[in-house]
Structures are given as C-alpha cells and as structure tokens.
Amino acid sequence: MAPSSRGLGHSVLNARTPVRIRLELQVLGVYVKIFLACTIVIILVFGVSPVFAQGIDKLPEPTGGQVNEALNKIVPIRFLPNHPLYFSIKVKETILRFFKPSAVKRAEYDFILTSKRIKESYFVYKNGDLKYLGASLMSYSKRVDITIGQIEKARSQNQEISMLAEKIVEGLVNQEVLLRHIKINEGESGNFENLDGAIVSFEHLVDIIDNVKPGIKDRYKILNDEDYKQNEASTS
C-alpha cells in the first residue's frame, strides 16, 4: 500500500537533513557559549573577586583596641601643642636631654620624644584642631631626624645599640598604629599638611633600625600603602 500524502509529508518534516543538523549544532553552540559566559561571570563575581580584592585592599584601619593599646604604651602627655603652657614641656625635655651621658642614651630619649610627638598629633587630630596638626607632625619629623642622628653617632663611636634597636622596633609599632589611623581618616578632612613627610621620616627610622635588626619593615602596614608608595615614587 502506498503511503498517504499526509504520512509522506509528516516523514519529510521529521527527516533530519544535514542542513537541519548543522543548524541545530549552531544553535547548541550559542547556548553553550552563553552558559560558559554566565559561569565565568559568576566565578569572577563570587569566587575570584574576593580573593583579588584582598590583594588590593586599601590600608587596613587599626581597631579601637589597637589604638588604645598604642596610646597606653606611649608615655603620658600633659599638654597639647595648642596649650599656653606647652612651651614648659619643651623646656623640661631640653634640660633632661642635656644630662644624657652618651649618644645611645640621647637616642633613646629622643625616640621617647618622637612617640610623644605622634601621640600629641593624634590627640590634636581627634580634637579637630587641624590648624595645629601640620606643626605637630613637623615636630615629629624633626625629632625623628634628631633620633637618627644620635643613632648614627652612636654607631660611629662603636657604642652598643642592639638593646636600643629592640626598644625602637616595638615603639615603632605604636607609632605606626597612630600614624595609620590619621592617614586613613585624612580623606574625610582633606589632605593633612606634613603627614606624608611624617610617614617618610618614620620610614627612614625603620630603615636605620632595619640595618641592625633586618626584616622588620614588613611589620609596619603603613609602609605598604599603595597611595604612599605612589606619592613617594613621584617625589623621588
């Protein structure tokens, strides 16, 4: 019996000709590409991105506990630079320093004063007295330079500085926390005068001590800040 015209037409429609197979493969390929593209996007957004973001994280802000610990470890301060009696503090410091018997002892005392200067800068910032902050940070930088000078003098005189270096390494941790706190909050109030200079001075002191105690530089997060590195490179 000959097939009906209806059955013949149905068979022709269902026949998978090479052209139709090729068309189906092309459509399938489009779907596969879409699926792969979506998968890649999901991986980038939810998988790779957090890991990548960790690598380019900005400078981590110290916790309140870290800031309080740093403040407590630095010697107390009586007056801030904007206080009318602040000059009496500087006079007292000058007299006490005069009686230090050696370059090592002067360097040790000068380093204590650097910590006081950065503690003062922190409280000046927290009190909102930004017009005094630049001068306070400059005072910190100058005292760091004096400290470095005394360390180099002690080394040139073959004085033992290893114990002093240990104290400075630990003391710099506290300074770094306060500097980092000020640096992170800089953007909220505009650029702080002499802040980058204070960080440069901090790094110079770290470099000096690193010659005595190699490998300490990675302890100080502020020196790994990308913005600081770029600013330093542009001015060097």
Side-chain angles (χ1 to χ4, degrees):
M1 180 182 296
S4 65
S5 60
R6 181 179 178 181
L8 181 59
H10 185 71
S11 299
V12 170
L13 288 174
N14 285 335
R16 302 186 70 222
T17 65
V19 174
R20 182 171 179 177
I21 292 174
R22 189 161 50 250
L23 180 61
E24 290 175 350
L25 290 175
Q26 290 176 348
V27 172
L28 179 63
V30 172
Y31 284 125
V32 169
K33 290 179 180 179
I34 294 173
F35 173 78
L36 291 175
C38 292
T39 302
I40 291 172
V41 170
I42 291 172
I43 291 174
L44 288 175
V45 172
F46 297 102
V48 177
S49 291
V51 176
F52 178 70
Q54 290 175 6
I56 60 172
D57 261 350
K58 292 198 172 183
L59 192 62
E61 184 168 5
T63 65
Q66 290 172 327
V67 171
N68 289 333
E69 182 180 7
L71 293 171
N72 290 332
K73 286 184 176 180
I74 296 174
V75 295
I77 56 176
R78 189 168 183 182
F79 301 123
L80 292 179
N82 58 344
H83 194 281
L85 295 179
Y86 181 74
F87 77 93
S88 64
I89 299 297
K90 303 301 270 304
V91 171
K92 178 182 177 181
E93 291 173 354
T94 301
I95 295 173
L96 290 174
R97 186 181 186 276
F98 178 78
F99 290 102
K100 299 301 175 182
S102 66
V104 169
K105 291 298 182 181
R106 285 192 294 273
E108 182 177 1
Y109 185 68
D110 286 330
F111 180 71
I112 292 172
L113 296 185
T114 66
S115 295
K116 287 184 68 176
R117 298 294 91 88
I118 200 61
K119 187 174 183 177
E120 290 168 357
S121 298
Y122 170 82
F123 281 117
V124 167
Y125 160 71
K126 295 301 285 186
N127 291 343
D129 297 326
L130 299 185
K131 64 180 180 179
Y132 293 100
L133 181 57
S136 186
L137 290 168
M138 176 62 74
S139 181
Y140 166 78
S141 296
K142 289 180 178 179
R143 185 55 60 176
V144 169
D145 291 341
I146 293 172
T147 303
I148 291 173
Q150 290 301 309
I151 293 172
E152 291 177 337
K153 183 177 180 179
R155 294 183 70 183
S156 69
Q157 296 174 351
N158 295 321
Q159 297 181 29
E160 175 58 44
I161 64 169
S162 58
M163 291 183 63
L164 172 61
E166 289 282 0
K167 294 178 181 179
I168 292 178
V169 167
E170 296 304 320
L172 286 172
V173 172
N174 303 320
Q175 293 189 16
E176 190 272 341
V177 168
L178 300 185
L179 269 173
R180 181 153 42 102
H181 178 85
I182 297 172
K183 177 65 177 176
I184 287 173
N185 291 280
E186 179 182 34
E188 297 179 2
S189 306
N191 294 330
F192 293 154
E193 185 182 8
N194 297 325
L195 176 56
D196 286 341
I199 299 173
V200 169
S201 296
F202 175 88
E203 183 175 22
H204 287 169
L205 183 52
V206 171
D207 288 338
I208 292 295
I209 301 303
D210 190 65
N211 292 329
V212 183
K213 299 287 183 182
I216 66 167
K217 198 165 185 176
D218 290 341
R219 297 185 61 176
Y220 310 112
K221 296 180 177 63
I222 199 167
L223 301 182
N224 298 317
D225 178 39
E226 290 300 324
D227 289 340
Y228 167 68
K229 288 180 178 180
Q230 291 173 7
N231 289 339
E232 187 181 28
S234 64
T235 56
S236 62

